Amino acid sequence: MFNLSGKVALITGANTGLGQGMAIALAEAGADIALIGRSDPAETLQKLSQFDVKTHSILTDLSQADRVADIIAEVVTKLGRVDILVNNAGIIKRNAAIDFTLDEWDSVMNVNLRTLFFLSQAFARHIVSESKNGKIINIASMLTFQGGIRVPSYTASKSGVGGLTKALANEWAPHGINVNAIAPGYFATNNTAALQADEKRNAEILGRIPSGRWGKASDLGGAVVFLASQASDYVQGITLPVDGGWLSR
Ligand code: NAP
């Protein structure tokens, strides 16, 4: 039920962090992997080499959404098909809402929401044209549920991801596409380096996590394989928290 052999998973922003962890989990379940991002994914490719799967990587800046159809076409040409899309690439800008700039707004919205939508659309067009099934997994956040502080564009983008996940599930479930999201809690990656380094915030965050530790990229493996596999065929439009219990407090 969780076996992904014969499937191809496309994952954005997988040279590091959570994307790398999810690429490893999907490969371990048997999927061939396409890595899409702006930085060389050499470290991830090296980690994937332990599995008997094919890989392909495409270097592109996902702040622009104009190449999305080419990305899908190239993955299909190189790996023969595409079945799973993980929209993981994302950025965060921290500043007081009163001082927030147009660039801090647009740069975050473009990667986290605009490109996520148009890449999903290109993927869905391909799945529909092939009359087959597909899985879309969006990476949301605790700020899909909460407001956060000093991160207004990030909160807007990730709240948008939660809404869009439901909207696309409503439209694409009839076409055999499952659209769901994962909301990671506090994970130790580049994205949270500033929080981890801030002694006070670090202690506040740890004090609220029932599991008592920051998440590791490998902690997302089970959730992403579940949502990418046949096991979740009747699951639609959810945002699944993987947060060590943060939202339960
Ligand atoms: P990360 O280590 O900073 O990874 C982000 C990834 O996105 C990197 O591969 C990055 O590439 C890529 N990316 C960013 N902008 C891009 C662009 N314009 N074009 C192409 N690729 C781009 O952060 P992470 O923590 O693994 O974050 C992954 C996802 O999880 C994000 O959507 C984030 O919002 C979400 N998330 C993280 C946490 C957490 O606690 N860490 C919690 C909730 C949600 P570069 O390496 O080149 O920058």
Side-chain angles (χ1 to χ4, degrees):
M1 195 177 262
F2 296 93
N3 186 1
L4 298 178
S5 301
K7 305 285 186 191
V8 172
L10 185 167
I11 175 159
T12 63
N15 55 296
T16 181
L18 304 186
Q20 182 180 85
M22 290 188 284
I24 291 168
L26 292 166
E28 195 170 5
D32 294 333
I33 307 288
L35 305 166
I36 318 299
R38 64 181 171 186
S39 299
D40 181 358
E43 186 183 290
T44 305
L45 288 170
Q46 196 274 327
K47 289 177 189 286
L48 293 179
S49 65
Q50 65 184 297
F51 306 108
D52 185 22
V53 300
K54 286 186 279 179
T55 57
H56 179 65
S57 53
I58 301 177
L59 281 184
T60 190
D61 180 357
L62 293 167
S63 64
Q64 307 295 326
D66 51 344
R67 272 208 66 212
V68 288
D70 299 345
I71 290 170
I72 300 294
E74 183 173 330
V75 171
V76 172
T77 303
K78 296 290 181 183
L79 295 177
R81 55 188 294 142
V82 61
D83 307 278
I84 298 154
L85 168 64
V86 183
N87 281 306
N88 166 75
I91 56 170
I92 191 164
K93 299 282 179 187
R94 297 178 192 280
N95 195 0
I98 203 123
D99 298 321
F100 223 67
T101 65
L102 272 172
D103 179 62
E104 287 166 336
W105 183 268
D106 287 342
S107 57
V108 170
M109 295 301 278
N110 282 347
V111 179
N112 294 15
L113 196 55
R114 188 170 182 265
T115 297
L116 176 148
F117 171 72
F118 284 103
L119 186 56
S120 299
Q121 182 193 58
F123 173 83
R125 286 177 175 168
H126 169 75
I127 298 290
V128 170
S129 74
E130 298 273 308
S131 302
K132 61 177 204 168
N133 296 333
K135 302 273 185 180
I136 297 177
I137 300 141
N138 297 322
I139 301 308
S141 163
M142 293 297 96
L143 302 191
T144 303
F145 306 104
Q146 302 177 301
I149 189 159
R150 301 184 77 252
V151 287
S153 59
Y154 188 80
T155 302
S157 72
K158 294 298 185 178
S159 298
V161 168
L164 193 57
T165 297
K166 290 183 268 194
L168 298 182
N170 292 339
E171 288 200 39
W172 295 344
H175 294 292
I177 302 173
N178 293 80
V179 188
N180 291 293
I182 296 170
Y186 285 81
F187 280 67
T189 66
N190 299 338
N191 176 291
T192 52
L195 285 181
Q196 296 168 65
D198 181 333
E199 218 169 287
K200 184 166 167 285
R201 287 289 287 129
N202 190 30
E204 285 168 2
I205 288 166
L206 277 177
R208 198 195 141 151
I209 302 176
S211 291
R213 63 170 176 83
W214 285 75
K216 304 186 293 275
S218 58
D219 288 320
L220 290 188
V224 76
V225 169
F226 168 60
L227 292 176
S229 70
Q230 202 190 326
S232 61
D233 277 355
Y234 200 58
V235 178
Q236 281 287 10
I238 64 154
T239 297
L240 173 63
V242 179
D243 64 350
W246 173 273
L247 287 177
S248 302
R249 287 287 296 270

